[in-house]
Amino acid sequence: MIDANGGELSAKEAALPPPILPSRDAMSPEMLASLLEMAEKAGLSIPGREHGTQIAPSLRLEDGWRALGHKLGGCLRRQNIFRKAGNLGRVNERTGAFELFSPANFAGWVEEFVAFTWKGAVAPLNAEQARMMMAQFSFIEQIREIEGVHLMRLPVMREGGEVEWLPAGYDEGTRIFTVETLRYAMDWPLDKALEFLRGWCKDFPWMRAEGQQGASLESVRSYAAHVMAMVGMYCRALVPVTAARPMFFYVANQQGSGKSTLAQMAFAPVLGLFAAAQMPKDEDKLQSLLDTTAQNFSPVLFLDDLGNFIKSNSLNRFVLAPRHTGRPMGQNKEMFDVANVTQVYATGNNMSGSADLSRRAVVVELFFAGETKGRKFEKVVSPVELGEVDARCGFLSALCAIVRNYAEKKGDFAESLGAIEPMASFEKWSRTMAGIVQLAGFANPLAAPLCAFDEEGDEIKDLLIAAAESCTEDTTFDRESLADIARKKGLLEDVVGRGEKDMDGKQSKRFGFRLKAWRGRVLVDTQGRRFEFGKGHKRTGASYPLTFLDQGAQA
């Protein structure tokens, strides 16, 4: 006869009766929970659990809520129940959805693990008793927290800097639960990964610098920035959840360039397809959209086909904040405070943004000189194809190879990786993701766009320099005189208009708002003269003093 460890039993040992496990009535919930946990770690099967049944402890309802909460928490602390943003729920191990518990469904779910009695008789929980149980601190404090659910194996970085792909199940270190809804090859070599991405992306009209027409696709800044957008979503757990993530703006010179498809390509491999949201024109409505997005822990906010100019203080704050505080829809008093896990993507034709948004965005530029209508592509790429399982698995395999290349080489290239100039306010995220991309042979994705995204800001700067060059001494301008200079130089036509016609009240107010942001700025004109704009005793109102700062600079 063979013992539990594979050895042979002696005749005397074989004649002994088998050990008797204590019944559920003879052991405390804590003892049973410890027994089951030790058996699970050792890979042992506990009698009574093989066919959907189990040894279950019984809890006496007459013991009181605090004691019951403590005992129940001990029984459930290793089960599929978690705390998230103050709510209790479970992970659907088929879809990965985080499903909130209500008192009614909790009362039924918990019967799989414990039995409740009242004066010796079995007494299933009713909804009110379940509500009381779920409210006990002695219970809640024993339930593990969850920060995210991954739908496939994705990389994380441990405290020592090691990159590791999480297995299925709950990871204590990161508080992430992995559900393998997609299984993909994780052993592609880097050259296969680059070839795969090139095959999907080569027909898009990436904007190239002068002299780059024959260069490799990997050397194009906008293509590198797009790959960084994909890597960033694949590696969203590689940096702390509190690390701010920049926006990604896909900008084209005309419709049909593929900007929306590329934006979908950035997140579809990991998340599947997401419906685009319309950018509200009203700031209050945008704030409501951001509140809903944050409260739902949405990993993506996709703003498609924006106007020519985008400016939003709410969006600025949202992108930078590690946490988001807001008010639930339809409620006036209760507030929520949650971790901000959302990555923002936006697209537009000939789009530019405010100076604040420009500093918070990685811009992917597309430019096609001819007519996009009727173009022929070697490979048809659309959201439909991107959402197919085979395509998603291919992208995941390619991204895995790029990240694995980084994990293997980062120690040898620590000095060059440390020298990467990160984006201000996004240092941790941008240095990590740009390092992954550049070690794979791509251009610097953080390099400045070929076309100024903050075009209006650049035009105001050009206007102020032109105003300085028209002066031989300190001069005070009014709003209309600055508008005249702008019209003569062909600047800010959307604001000041064309020709010699004065601005109307609405245009003047908008122009003044733009100029206000430049008060106190020190600039240098083409003659090398330093000057300060709009600061001094005439700072308020519609007067804008221009003061030369260098001694002897005035003619």
Side-chain angles (χ1 to χ4, degrees):
M1 184 174 292
I2 306 298
D3 67 12
N5 296 316
E8 290 196 15
L9 295 173
S10 67
K12 183 177 181 180
E13 289 172 325
L16 292 174
I20 299 175
L21 284 172
S23 71
R24 75 180 189 189
D25 295 322
M27 60 195 322
S28 69
E30 291 80 3
M31 288 175 57
L32 181 58
S34 297
L35 173 63
L36 297 179
E37 183 176 345
M38 288 187 291
E40 182 180 347
K41 288 182 178 179
L44 300 177
S45 176
I46 299 298
R49 293 176 64 89
E50 293 88 349
H51 304 292
T53 60
Q54 59 182 354
I55 303 173
S58 60
L59 302 182
R60 303 188 332 148
L61 291 173
E62 56 263 45
D63 285 348
W65 292 117
R66 185 177 182 278
L68 277 171
H70 179 76
K71 293 177 180 179
L72 183 61
C75 294
L76 299 182
R77 69 177 186 269
R78 309 297 298 179
Q79 303 302 332
N80 184 2
I81 178 173
F82 302 98
R83 287 184 289 146
K84 185 175 184 180
N87 297 308
L88 292 173
R90 67 166 194 168
V91 176
N92 185 314
E93 297 188 56
R94 183 177 61 84
T95 66
F98 186 72
E99 300 172 335
L100 297 181
F101 280 120
S102 67
N105 61 34
F106 178 81
W109 174 84
V110 77
E111 290 179 354
E112 183 180 351
F113 308 100
V114 298
F116 293 94
T117 64
W118 175 260
K119 296 182 179 180
V122 175
L125 284 184
N126 60 39
E128 178 58 24
Q129 290 170 328
R131 184 187 67 80
M132 288 292 294
M133 185 71 74
M134 294 168 68
Q136 302 307 307
F137 291 126
S138 58
F139 169 66
I140 295 171
E141 290 169 354
Q142 297 185 73
I143 302 303
R144 297 174 294 181
E145 287 188 279
I146 188 170
E147 289 193 353
V149 178
H150 289 176
L151 302 181
M152 67 285 297
R153 295 189 64 187
L154 295 175
V156 298
M157 189 176 291
R158 298 302 186 186
E159 287 188 6
E162 301 88 0
V163 177
E164 178 184 326
W165 275 258
L166 292 180
Y170 181 77
D171 180 71
E172 297 281 354
T174 60
R175 299 176 179 176
I176 291 172
F177 196 108
T178 298
V179 179
E180 286 195 86
T181 60
L182 281 182
R183 296 175 183 268
Y184 60 97
M186 303 180 69
D187 58 354
W188 279 18
L190 181 60
D191 56 354
K192 182 176 180 179
L194 299 183
E195 182 180 358
F196 176 88
L197 295 178
R198 200 180 301 125
W200 280 84
C201 297
K202 63 184 179 181
D203 287 334
F204 289 92
W206 308 99
M207 182 177 284
R208 295 172 177 257
E210 186 175 350
Q212 263 197 328
Q213 297 308 313
S216 69
L217 190 56
E218 288 77 17
S219 68
V220 177
R221 186 210 67 86
S222 282
Y223 179 57
H226 170 62
V227 173
M228 185 171 71
M230 290 192 284
V231 167
M233 183 54 67
Y234 182 76
C235 297
R236 58 197 179 110
L238 206 63
V239 295
V241 69
T242 54
R245 298 164 295 277
M247 295 177 283
F248 280 89
F249 284 166
Y250 287 78
V251 182
N253 68 317
Q254 59 178 307
Q255 293 181 346
S257 299
K259 58 190 182 298
S260 300
T261 300
L262 286 171
Q264 292 270 16
M265 187 187 292
F267 52 78
V270 174
L271 303 173
L273 301 178
F274 264 68
Q278 185 175 6
M279 177 76 168
K281 295 181 179 179
D282 181 85
E283 193 76 357
D284 289 339
K285 291 181 179 179
L286 175 59
Q287 185 62 56
S288 296
L289 173 63
L290 298 176
D291 288 346
T292 301
T293 300
Q295 192 178 20
N296 291 337
F297 295 97
S298 177
V300 166
L301 175 59
F302 179 27
L303 301 170
D304 194 23
D305 203 15
L306 304 186
N308 297 106
F309 183 79
I310 176 172
K311 180 182 187 301
S312 170
N313 292 331
S314 297
L315 194 54
N316 287 338
R317 292 192 299 268
F318 183 78
V319 172
L320 285 176
R323 300 189 66 82
H324 186 84
T325 301
R327 198 180 303 278
M329 184 72 71
Q331 298 187 23
N332 294 323
K333 295 182 179 180
E334 183 182 352
M335 300 289 288
F336 67 84
D337 178 76
V338 296
N340 182 2
V341 299
T342 303
Q343 175 75 62
V344 180
Y345 301 85
T347 72
N349 293 316
N350 300 306
M351 184 173 68
S352 62
S354 67
D356 285 337
L357 282 179
S358 299
R359 291 193 296 270
R360 291 156 173 73
V362 176
V363 182
V364 179
E365 301 169 289
L366 304 173
F367 180 85
F368 188 69
E371 290 289 337
T372 57
K373 186 176 181 180
R375 287 182 65 200
K376 302 295 183 182
F377 299 95
E378 185 175 330
K379 182 178 184 65
V380 176
V381 182
S382 73
V384 174
E385 282 79 25
L386 293 174
E388 292 178 351
V389 171
D390 287 347
R392 292 180 64 193
C393 288
F395 278 105
L396 291 169
S397 296
L399 294 169
C400 178
I402 290 173
V403 177
R404 193 177 64 251
N405 174 76
Y406 167 81
E408 294 170 354
K409 293 182 178 179
K410 67 186 181 73
D412 297 332
F413 291 87
E415 185 175 347
S416 59
L417 291 172
I420 292 175
E421 186 67 30
M423 292 179 68
S425 303
F426 307 99
E427 287 82 1
K428 179 66 174 178
W429 189 97
S430 59
R431 181 178 281 119
T432 301
M433 303 310 163
I436 293 172
V437 171
Q438 287 183 264
L439 272 187
F442 293 87
N444 179 9
L446 301 177
L450 298 178
C451 294
F453 185 67
D454 177 21
E455 292 181 4
E456 188 172 275
D458 287 346
E459 290 192 12
I460 291 177
K461 180 179 178 181
D462 291 342
L463 165 62
L464 300 184
I465 291 174
E469 291 174 345
S470 70
C471 304
T472 57
E473 59 184 4
D474 295 348
T475 304
T476 297
F477 293 88
D478 60 27
R479 198 172 293 168
E480 192 57 49
S481 62
L482 287 173
D484 286 338
I485 297 174
R487 295 188 196 101
K488 290 176 182 176
K489 295 289 185 179
L491 301 171
L492 301 167
E493 292 181 350
D494 291 340
V495 180
V496 302
R498 301 180 182 181
E500 299 180 358
K501 184 179 179 181
D502 290 349
M503 296 180 292
D504 59 28
K506 186 176 181 180
Q507 286 176 309
S508 180
K509 184 176 181 180
R510 183 184 175 193
F511 187 39
F513 182 79
R514 301 291 188 272
L515 292 172
K516 182 180 179 181
W518 287 78
R519 287 189 183 277
R521 291 286 298 272
V522 176
L523 302 172
V524 180
D525 68 9
T526 57
Q527 301 174 46
R529 299 181 299 174
R530 293 173 62 247
F531 66 92
E532 187 175 44
F533 172 73
K535 191 173 183 180
H537 65 282
K538 294 184 178 179
R539 184 176 179 178
T540 59
S543 296
Y544 303 91
L546 188 150
T547 306
F548 290 97
L549 302 178
D550 297 326
Q551 188 175 10
Q554 299 179 32

